[in-house]
Amino acid sequence: MPDRIELHGLTARGRHGWFDHERENGQTFVVDVALDVDVRAAAETDDLTDTVDYGSLAERVVGLVSGEPVRLVETLAQRIADLCLEDPRIEAAEVTVHKPEAPLTVPFGDVTVTIRRART
């Protein structure tokens, strides 16, 4: 069973969405990332170079959210998972993208898309 590093509530303003007004006005997106990674080496050496630098990863995830717009939250989630898997130490990534300002016509609390991608 792999170890996990989790980041919850990474928040950024993005211009993602199907509708023109979403892409023009932007909205808040919140991202949770769970990474399957073996942290035994880092625990033994107490050295950041032996694990995933989650501070740097968080900045890169926020950069994706606030960067180039996509139409679907599913696409954004996939791009974030791909970014996570660029680090060879990460065996799998589970990404949840929250779209709390989604353009729904009924009262709601949140809209999320969750994907899980593993190294093949």
Side-chain angles (χ1 to χ4, degrees):
M1 175 177 240
D3 305 316
R4 286 174 63 99
I5 295 174
E6 298 185 13
L7 296 101
H8 296 274
L10 299 174
T11 305
R13 191 146 182 91
R15 297 181 175 274
H16 313 288
W18 187 255
F19 299 105
D20 290 339
H21 67 87
E22 293 180 285
R23 296 168 69 84
E24 291 166 8
N25 301 326
Q27 60 192 292
T28 301
F29 291 85
V30 180
V31 176
D32 303 324
V33 177
L35 310 170
D36 290 354
V37 58
D38 187 342
V39 300
R40 287 178 289 191
E44 185 175 313
T45 65
D46 201 27
D47 190 334
L48 181 60
T49 61
D50 288 328
T51 191
V52 175
D53 180 351
Y54 54 79
S56 173
L57 179 62
E59 290 174 1
R60 294 172 64 207
V61 168
V62 166
L64 270 178
V65 174
S66 61
E68 178 186 350
V70 296
R71 293 216 176 257
L72 298 177
V73 176
E74 292 85 344
T75 304
L76 180 59
Q78 181 64 55
R79 289 185 178 183
I80 294 168
D82 291 343
L83 171 71
C84 293
L85 291 173
E86 287 176 5
D87 186 324
R89 294 171 291 205
I90 297 173
E91 299 167 21
E94 182 174 291
V95 175
T96 300
V97 177
H98 302 255
K99 190 174 179 179
E101 298 170 24
L104 298 181
T105 60
V106 298
F108 72 101
D110 196 6
V111 172
T112 65
V113 171
T114 300
I115 66 170
R116 181 168 170 78
R117 300 294 182 263
R119 194 165 299 290
T120 55

